[in-house]
Amino acid sequence: MEQVAATMEQVKLLTSVNDQHGGVIVELSEPIDSGIFASMLRISISEWRKLGKKGVWIKLPIELCSLVEVAVKEGFWYHHAEPTYLMLVSWLPGGAHPLPPNASHRVGVGAFVMNEKREVLVVQENSGIFRGTGIWKFPTGVVEEGEDLCTAAVREVKEETAIDAEFMEILAFRQTHKAYFEKSDLFFLCMLRPISFDVQRQEAEIEAAKWMPWDEYVAQPFVQKTEFVKHISDICLAKVDGDYTGFCAIPTASSGGQMGHVYQNAQGRRR
Amino acid sequence: MEQVAATMEQVKLLTSVNDQHGGVIVELSEPIDSGIFASMLRISISEWRKLGKKGVWIKLPIELCSLVEVAVKEGFWYHHAEPTYLMLVSWLPGGAHPLPPNASHRVGVGAFVMNEKREVLVVQENSGIFRGTGIWKFPTGVVEEGEDLCTAAVREVKEETAIDAEFMEILAFRQTHKAYFEKSDLFFLCMLRPISFDVQRQEAEIEAAKWMPWDEYVAQPFVQKTEFVKHISDICLAKVDGDYTGFCAIPTASSGGQMGHVYQNAQGRRR
């Protein structure tokens, strides 16, 4: 009998893995009745408490959205969500928790690419607010999940114009707020050195792409009348004229061992 | 009869406001039966389609988590979540959508604050990975929702040490990945000029705070043996010795009219 009871209890525990901070992570993937899930969750929480576990994460695929209510009733709250899943979390010790805050910023890059004829690489977009305006602008885009800023700038230029280019510097960046709802935005202006020169536009997003004489680019009303665009075109010109130093990218390991980059003035490169 | 039918239909539409991109936003706050919500949502979608609406956003407070399943069944997916709510979205025209991507980065700041005696402002934290290590480190913290980087650095120094300080420059920044789950991290090293000098630690988070001779700070094994910490201490020293230029902060309006800052080398300040 004791054997049977133990087996039944085991069946009722949710499968979890330990995280590096004294907590556990539960990733559900198979459909499960919400009543059964509620029992399993309650028994699991009791077990995790005995083990001294602290933070409990539950990753619920959107297909299992019927279980959200069960978790919330057991004291879980939302940590973050992506299109395909919702991450819930609970702090078993109660009180103030040291759990990581949610992501607060989306991140974009713009690419300043000039050839030796003082022509700048520009595109016309065929969707969004620039569609149909005839405005020529720098290639821009959103940094993908897990992507380095310097890599994102090179990728966007390649995707939109087929130009191969090498990342040189971040010339400036801008932080703005309420980019959508309550989230903020960081936009990094990158200078790239072109390696190839034959422009081919990407048909999906780009109406046209070309090398354009710098003076013609700057003369556009869009550049002259948009404070931020005028501002960064001044920075680009200062860079071309040799009067400006941005931040270069230096590969580095984080304390967690993940690779990343430090961006800094090359003056500080002592090592 | 026609009047009654029209009234009943009106009652069944969800309350929504138009957004600036041809879509609508529904913010639910009052409890509602999930069957009734399902009917209202279906009728509303039909109405929005007639009106040519595109993106539909539904903000569901966590108290109404029982409605998540209803929205998902009607084709909605998760866009983002915060502790108190889940934002769902649907793109009525179908196919690829131009909706804004979710926030991908959390953002932190660290503050380098030195007085005229070449002493640096340091703290010992009483929680997290530094608890009980005896390590003296720069004040650091997470940028709050809607907060400027330059403001965040000043706030963290004030909160942790009671020192008033003025933001001067961003000396460098670091991007790392998988800071938690799939999200990335941006950490900005800020130089601040102290305005007051009487250190008082914040009891909640800080074990101790003081001015420490620079050489003593750098001599700590934590600084010497942690690649990134050693790296930024070299940058700080270069700055103190006058050999380094970071990015200053220039207030600017975004195209949407929100205020923000451009961070750039002061060389580019032509206006």
Side-chain angles (χ1 to χ4, degrees):
Chain A
M1 279 298 287
E2 216 176 296
Q3 183 61 42
V4 173
T7 308
M8 285 186 66
E9 182 139 318
Q10 274 188 329
V11 170
K12 287 179 183 168
L13 286 178
L14 291 166
T15 303
S16 65
V17 296
N18 294 327
D19 67 19
Q20 298 176 334
H21 310 281
V24 296
I25 305 171
V26 176
E27 280 202 47
L28 289 183
S29 53
E30 297 303 318
I32 177 172
D33 173 81
S34 61
I36 293 173
F37 175 63
S39 310
M40 291 173 80
L41 183 55
R42 277 193 291 265
I43 290 174
S44 300
I45 289 172
S46 158
E47 188 65 22
W48 293 323
R49 280 191 199 280
K50 278 185 213 157
L51 295 170
K53 297 298 179 189
K54 293 173 178 174
V56 178
W57 302 87
I58 301 181
K59 184 175 177 180
L60 277 184
I62 192 165
E63 296 77 21
L64 304 188
C65 59
S66 62
L67 305 181
V68 174
E69 191 179 3
V70 174
V72 171
K73 278 188 180 154
E74 295 303 324
F76 285 74
W77 65 88
Y78 304 150
H79 187 271
H80 64 281
E82 293 296 328
T84 59
Y85 72 88
L86 175 63
M87 185 71 82
L88 296 117
V89 70
S90 177
W91 181 245
L92 298 186
H97 67 76
L99 298 166
N102 192 6
S104 53
H105 288 62
R106 61 176 191 185
V107 178
V109 288
F112 168 54
V113 191
M114 186 175 265
N115 66 19
E116 293 190 347
K117 291 184 270 184
R118 213 178 167 92
E119 292 170 331
V120 62
L121 185 63
V122 290
V123 299
Q124 288 185 340
E125 295 178 354
N126 66 13
S127 66
I129 57 169
F130 291 107
R131 179 182 177 169
T133 59
I135 288 170
W136 293 99
K137 58 184 281 296
F138 293 177
T140 55
V142 173
V143 175
E144 293 177 353
E145 188 173 276
E147 187 178 38
D148 284 321
L149 298 170
C150 47
T151 308
V154 170
R155 175 184 53 76
E156 284 290 348
V157 166
K158 178 74 176 174
E159 281 181 7
E160 296 192 355
T161 69
I163 294 294
D164 293 302
E166 178 190 5
F167 174 86
M168 302 299 285
E169 281 187 354
I170 286 177
L171 298 183
F173 62 91
R174 181 183 65 168
Q175 185 195 28
T176 51
H177 303 298
K178 302 204 175 191
Y180 68 94
F181 301 106
E182 299 306 315
K183 298 292 182 175
S184 299
D185 185 276
L186 277 163
F187 173 85
F188 293 85
L189 172 65
C190 303
M191 187 181 71
L192 276 60
R193 189 177 65 81
I195 298 168
S196 74
F197 299 91
D198 182 20
V199 176
Q200 288 174 13
R201 74 174 171 103
Q202 175 205 48
E203 297 197 0
E205 291 177 21
I206 302 299
E207 187 62 34
K210 66 174 181 180
W211 294 105
M212 186 182 218
W214 176 256
D215 293 344
E216 201 178 313
Y217 166 77
V218 172
Q220 296 181 100
F222 159 71
V223 178
Q224 290 298 319
K225 292 183 178 168
T226 313
E227 183 188 4
F228 176 64
V229 180
K230 177 66 167 64
H231 189 116
I232 63 174
S233 72
D234 287 347
I235 292 174
C236 292
L237 190 60
K239 180 71 201 178
V240 171
D241 292 343
D243 299 332
Y244 190 88
T245 312
F247 282 178
C248 62
I250 299 176
T252 188
S254 73
S255 45
Q258 298 290 341
M259 285 308 294
H261 283 84
V262 175
Y263 296 86
Q264 60 167 81
N265 192 317
Q267 294 167 333
R269 210 168 184 167
R270 296 190 163 190
R271 297 176 307 165
Chain B
M1 281 299 284
E2 216 175 295
Q3 182 61 41
V4 173
T7 308
M8 283 185 66
E9 182 137 318
Q10 274 190 328
V11 170
K12 286 178 183 169
L13 286 177
L14 290 166
T15 303
S16 65
V17 296
N18 294 326
D19 68 18
Q20 298 176 333
H21 310 281
V24 296
I25 305 170
V26 175
E27 278 201 51
L28 289 183
S29 52
E30 297 302 319
I32 177 172
D33 173 80
S34 61
I36 294 174
F37 175 62
S39 311
M40 291 174 80
L41 182 55
R42 277 194 290 267
I43 291 174
S44 301
I45 289 173
S46 159
E47 188 65 23
W48 292 323
R49 281 191 198 280
K50 280 186 212 158
L51 294 171
K53 297 298 178 189
K54 294 174 177 172
V56 178
W57 302 87
I58 301 181
K59 185 175 177 179
L60 277 185
I62 193 166
E63 294 78 22
L64 305 188
C65 59
S66 61
L67 305 181
V68 173
E69 190 178 3
V70 174
V72 171
K73 278 188 180 153
E74 295 303 325
F76 285 74
W77 65 88
Y78 305 150
H79 188 271
H80 64 280
E82 293 295 327
T84 59
Y85 71 87
L86 175 63
M87 185 71 81
L88 295 118
V89 71
S90 177
W91 181 245
L92 298 187
H97 66 76
L99 298 166
N102 192 6
S104 53
H105 287 63
R106 61 175 191 184
V107 178
V109 288
F112 168 55
V113 191
M114 186 175 265
N115 65 20
E116 294 190 346
K117 290 184 270 184
R118 213 177 167 93
E119 292 169 332
V120 61
L121 186 63
V122 289
V123 299
Q124 287 185 342
E125 296 179 355
N126 64 14
S127 66
I129 57 169
F130 291 107
R131 178 182 177 169
T133 59
I135 287 170
W136 293 99
K137 58 183 282 297
F138 292 177
T140 56
V142 173
V143 174
E144 294 178 353
E145 187 174 276
E147 187 178 39
D148 285 320
L149 298 169
C150 47
T151 309
V154 170
R155 175 185 54 74
E156 284 290 347
V157 167
K158 178 73 177 177
E159 280 180 8
E160 295 192 355
T161 69
I163 294 293
D164 293 303
E166 178 190 4
F167 174 85
M168 303 299 284
E169 282 187 354
I170 286 176
L171 297 183
F173 62 91
R174 180 183 66 169
Q175 185 194 28
T176 51
H177 304 298
K178 302 204 176 191
Y180 67 95
F181 300 106
E182 299 306 316
K183 299 293 183 175
S184 299
D185 184 277
L186 278 163
F187 174 83
F188 294 85
L189 172 65
C190 304
M191 187 182 69
L192 276 61
R193 190 178 65 80
I195 299 169
S196 75
F197 299 90
D198 182 19
V199 176
Q200 289 175 12
R201 76 175 170 102
Q202 176 205 46
E203 298 197 1
E205 291 176 21
I206 302 300
E207 186 63 33
K210 67 174 180 179
W211 293 103
M212 185 183 220
W214 176 256
D215 292 344
E216 201 177 314
Y217 166 77
V218 174
Q220 296 180 99
F222 159 69
V223 177
Q224 290 298 320
K225 292 184 179 169
T226 312
E227 183 187 4
F228 176 64
V229 179
K230 177 66 167 66
H231 190 116
I232 63 174
S233 72
D234 286 348
I235 292 174
C236 292
L237 190 59
K239 179 71 201 176
V240 170
D241 291 343
D243 299 331
Y244 190 88
T245 311
F247 282 178
C248 61
I250 299 177
T252 188
S254 72
S255 47
Q258 298 290 340
M259 284 309 295
H261 284 84
V262 175
Y263 296 85
Q264 61 168 82
N265 191 318
Q267 293 166 331
R269 208 169 187 167
R270 297 191 160 188
R271 296 174 309 166

